[in-house]
Amino acid sequence: MASGFFVLLDDIAAIMDDVAVMSKIAAKKTAGILGDDLAVNAEKASGFASSRELPVLWAISKGSLLNKIIILPIAFVLSAFFPIAINVILVLGGLFLAYEAAEKIYEYFVPHEHEQSEGITDETFTEEEILEIEKGKVKSAIVTDFILSVEIVIIALGTVLGKPLLSQIITVSIIAVIATIGVYGIVALIVRMDEVGFKMIQHSKKEKSLLKSIGNILVQALPVIIKALTVIGTIALLSVAGGIFVHKIEYFHHLFPNVPSIIKEFVIAFISGFIVLGIVNLFKKLFGKKAH
């Protein structure tokens, strides 16, 4: 009886050792997309009133966690019984990410009559309008997070294929939790930089002190970082989408072999995004006319 118990402990210890090793490998494999995830979500979580930043970020974080709770069991089932579906889902997700990036680029260069401000702190907005805009931005952030979460889960799962199912579940779940807590924890720090800076300035008693200088840097750096993250987030969307197309579509994988992969991925995603954007805008015009 006792020997059986110790054998069980040995088995558990062996599984945990395997999980630790596989988690390190999976973390390295997903590091790039986690960086993209951070850039995209930091851009998505910006532009809210100061008092609403943390509540909104918490809402997005909960949505992200729910995304992963939905994705994980589906990914394990599909991987086991219908692996081709994984590639189809990845490509569709890549099209969505490329479309989002193309839409951002298009809206930047082409004026829109219905274009809304990036921020929602304008005093001309009523409280109801602000909450409504927040809901839209939160929903958009959660949808984008869902696509990126699929990529993170699938890439992590790819590093543990062939391992026991229990090890797969534990390893990929650990990566999913790290992705959620790590990414949104850093995003929270970024969007609260100015508040920390103001506090440091207020607590500084001297006109020229290190504390006040750091505070001023934090306050002045936030809008620059947010603008930079907007650009980085758009590039990240194209990067992730292009990586999916090149690695999951055989034709693109062998297309222009002498061109550096990073350039090929970006160009393919850029063209694909604008094709999807053109189709979507055409449908909007057609259905808009019918509705009118």
Side-chain angles (χ1 to χ4, degrees):
M1 198 75 167
S3 61
F5 175 73
F6 285 115
V7 168
L8 177 61
L9 287 179
D10 285 339
D11 289 341
I12 293 173
I15 290 172
M16 295 313 295
D17 284 341
D18 286 342
V19 166
V21 172
M22 289 185 293
S23 295
K24 289 180 181 179
I25 296 172
K28 289 180 180 179
K29 290 285 187 180
T30 56
I33 196 168
L34 285 175
D36 294 338
D37 196 10
L38 171 62
V40 172
N41 284 299
E43 187 271 325
K44 287 279 187 182
S46 65
F48 298 97
S50 179
S51 61
R52 297 293 304 159
E53 284 175 344
L54 291 183
V56 167
L57 191 57
W58 174 238
I60 298 173
S61 301
K62 288 190 292 183
S64 176
L65 186 60
L66 180 60
N67 283 341
K68 292 173 178 67
I69 291 172
I70 294 169
I71 292 165
L72 284 170
I74 295 174
F76 291 129
V77 171
L78 290 178
S79 177
F81 300 105
F82 195 37
I84 193 172
I86 299 293
N87 288 339
V88 173
I89 292 169
L90 285 172
V91 171
L92 290 175
L95 287 172
F96 175 79
L97 295 178
Y99 162 75
E100 272 218 327
E103 188 178 40
K104 287 177 180 293
I105 296 169
Y106 177 75
E107 288 181 350
Y108 179 79
F109 288 104
V110 180
H112 285 64
E113 292 180 4
H114 60 278
E115 191 173 1
Q116 293 178 346
S117 172
E118 286 295 319
I120 55 174
T121 60
D122 196 320
E123 293 180 359
T124 58
F125 287 111
T126 65
E127 185 177 350
E128 291 76 13
E129 288 173 332
I130 289 175
L131 292 175
E132 192 61 33
I133 296 171
E134 280 185 4
K135 286 180 182 179
K137 293 193 74 173
V138 167
K139 184 178 179 181
S140 173
I142 292 173
V143 170
T144 302
D145 176 272
F146 185 87
I147 305 299
L148 291 170
S149 294
V150 169
E151 307 306 319
I152 291 168
V153 169
I154 297 304
I155 291 172
L157 185 59
T159 64
V160 294
L161 290 177
K163 299 292 183 178
L165 181 60
L166 181 60
S167 296
Q168 291 185 28
I169 293 172
I170 295 173
T171 301
V172 178
S173 298
I174 288 173
I175 296 299
V177 171
I178 290 173
T180 304
I181 295 174
V183 167
Y184 286 100
I186 295 173
V187 170
L189 292 176
I190 291 173
V191 299
R192 299 302 289 176
M193 275 179 58
D194 57 345
E195 288 297 316
V196 174
F198 279 126
K199 292 290 184 184
M200 293 176 74
I201 292 170
Q202 289 174 354
H203 284 82
S204 176
K205 296 179 180 179
K206 297 179 180 179
E207 184 64 29
K208 292 183 179 180
S209 66
L210 179 61
L211 193 65
K212 189 170 184 178
S213 298
I214 295 173
N216 284 324
I217 290 172
L218 291 176
V219 172
Q220 294 170 10
L222 181 61
V224 176
I225 291 174
I226 294 301
K227 286 181 180 179
L229 286 173
T230 301
V231 176
I232 294 170
T234 303
I235 295 172
L237 289 171
L238 290 172
S239 174
V240 175
I244 294 169
F245 298 149
V246 170
H247 291 98
K248 298 300 177 182
I249 300 176
E250 197 70 19
Y251 175 76
F252 289 141
H253 184 69
H254 297 290
L255 187 66
F256 305 123
N258 296 324
V259 176
S261 59
I262 188 170
I263 296 175
K264 181 167 71 172
E265 290 170 5
F266 186 87
V267 171
I268 290 172
F270 184 86
I271 295 171
S272 301
F274 273 93
I275 290 173
V276 176
L277 178 63
I279 294 171
V280 170
N281 286 343
L282 179 62
F283 270 92
K284 284 181 180 179
K285 287 181 179 179
L286 291 174
F287 284 108
K289 287 180 180 179
K290 289 181 179 180
H292 180 71

